[in-house]
Amino acid sequence: MDELKKAAAAEALTLVESGMRLGLGTGSTAKIFVDLLAERMKREGLKLIAVPTSEATRLQAESLGIPLTTLDETPELDLAIDGADELDAQLNLIKGGGAAHLREKIVELAAKRFVVIADETKEVAVLGKFPLPLEVVPFGLEATRQHLTRVIEKVGCAGELRFRMKADGTLVKTDGGNLILDAHLGSIPDPARLADALDHVTGLVEHGLFIGMAERAILATHQGVRVIKRA
Ligand code: 5RP
């Protein structure tokens, strides 16, 4: 699988040009992209600045000598590259498997182009087999969980909302100090409708549905790399 992730990352690297302001994603596929980017920068003397979407990516990029900036200093980016947990034919995405979807969404919305890199296992006919990550503030947790359950049911989805735990039994905390509820919905027939409904829930900081954001997905398959462009 790593070979497929590497193939997708290598293809995305061809979109990078000297002088660009980049958004760097989070997760195992984005990590490979950041490694390849650093190698190319050294080899070709590319001049770039980048905004990382998580503390993990910030540490990786710093250790590789990639110059970093923030969205405060650089509020507009040219290109953001990131992985996804699921994607459909319309390029609706589920993200947040690495608990980084809040910063990922902020960075990717600030980019003129957002390109997804993934192996073929991430492509699905209908989103929702992967539990939908919901980043919630620690205050009022049970009330927020019940509110979310009602909203999700109202748009025709259903399933358990479980707090994401670490192996040691403690709750996963995001870079922003919030918690993650994973919504085990099985299928999301209308992702845009669910995203819109979730956008109105107080206490939910951000959900992992990325609708109408990705310009293209670079999918690595055993038959080669396939590009899906958003219509
Ligand atoms: C992190 C994400 C990642 O992009 C997503 O989880 C995919 O990760 P990987 O490339 O390791 O499969 O959304 O919050």
Side-chain angles (χ1 to χ4, degrees), residues 78-143:
D78 299 296
L79 175 67
I81 306 282
D82 200 356
D85 297 301
E86 277 186 354
L87 61 99
D88 69 14
Q90 287 73 45
L91 293 192
N92 297 312
L93 315 176
I94 288 185
K95 287 185 51 56
H101 60 280
L102 171 62
R103 291 191 187 184
E104 290 172 336
K105 203 176 269 188
I106 294 170
V107 169
E108 286 144 24
L109 283 169
K112 287 187 223 159
R113 298 174 71 192
F114 165 39
V115 173
V116 175
I117 47 175
D119 63 75
E120 60 188 346
T121 63
K122 304 296 182 68
E123 190 183 21
V124 296
V126 179
L127 296 182
K129 196 156 180 257
F130 191 92
L132 177 65
L134 305 169
E135 178 164 345
V136 292
V137 293
F139 180 84
L141 275 181
E142 185 49 27

